[in-house]
């Protein structure tokens, strides 16, 4: 869709309102940068995800908290950067949040099969191991254990 069409449809307002419903920074960023699509499959997939998320919300499922956008932190670690305690805490919170989301979606696969299929791609075993290692190393009070 050309820019003029987006302006007529107030698509920027749609993005802003959608971002307001997002519980995570990554979700807000995705909403703010969302582009309209004329592709029937893309539109259908987005509608399915939205309907399934609404169904889960209607069941009273809580939104995972603590999930942050840790892409820059992970990229830095991959380049050999040292992560400070706040970064490690953010990775831990995000890892735990992802595990919770994956487990919840797996438990509700009947109500949200498309979202459950996405969550199935998350390597829960690897994330649990990472979280356990971080919990073993962090003291829970803003410091690192020295044992």
């Amino acid at each position: 869709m050309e820019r003029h069409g987006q302006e007529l449809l107030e698509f920027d307002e749609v993005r802003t309102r959608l971002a307001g419903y997002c519980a995570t920074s990554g979700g807000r960023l995705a909403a703010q940068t969302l582009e309209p699509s004329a592709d029937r499959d893309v539109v259908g997939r987005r509608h399915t995800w939205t309907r399934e998320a609404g169904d889960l919300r209607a069941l009273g499922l809580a939104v995972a908290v603590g999930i942050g956008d840790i892409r820059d932190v992970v990229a830095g670690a991959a380049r050999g950067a040292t992560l400070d305690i706040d970064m490690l805490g953010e990775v831990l919170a995000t890892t735990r949040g992802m595990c919770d989301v994956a487990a919840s979606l797996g438990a509700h696969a009947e109500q949200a099969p498309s979202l459950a299929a996405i969550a199935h791609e998350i390597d829960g075993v690897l994330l649990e191991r990472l979280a356990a290692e971080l919990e073993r190393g962090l003291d829970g009070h803003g410091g690192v254990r020295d044992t």
Side-chain angles (χ1 to χ4, degrees), residues 42 44-53 56 98-99 101-109 112-124 127:
V42 170
R45 200 167 36 250
R46 289 174 179 174
H47 277 276
T48 298
W49 294 339
T50 302
R51 181 187 43 75
E52 289 180 6
L56 293 174
M98 289 176 65
C99 289
V101 167
S104 181
L105 287 171
H108 294 89
S114 296
L115 295 177
I118 295 168
H120 183 72
E121 298 297 318
I122 297 171
D123 187 340
L127 289 178

Side-chain angles (χ1 to χ4, degrees), residues 10-80:
E10 298 181 348
F11 203 74
D12 286 338
E13 177 63 23
V14 171
R15 286 185 193 105
T16 299
R17 292 181 74 184
L18 180 61
Y21 287 106
C22 296
T24 66
S25 59
R28 282 186 293 281
L29 178 62
Q32 291 164 342
T33 58
L34 181 67
E35 290 296 326
S37 177
D39 184 314
R40 186 178 181 89
D41 292 334
V42 170
V43 172
R45 200 167 36 250
R46 289 174 179 174
H47 277 276
T48 298
W49 294 339
T50 302
R51 181 187 43 75
E52 289 180 6
D55 292 348
L56 293 174
R57 186 178 185 113
L59 291 173
L61 295 179
V63 175
V65 295
I67 296 178
D69 185 351
I70 59 171
R71 290 177 290 192
D72 290 342
V73 173
V74 171
R79 290 189 309 272

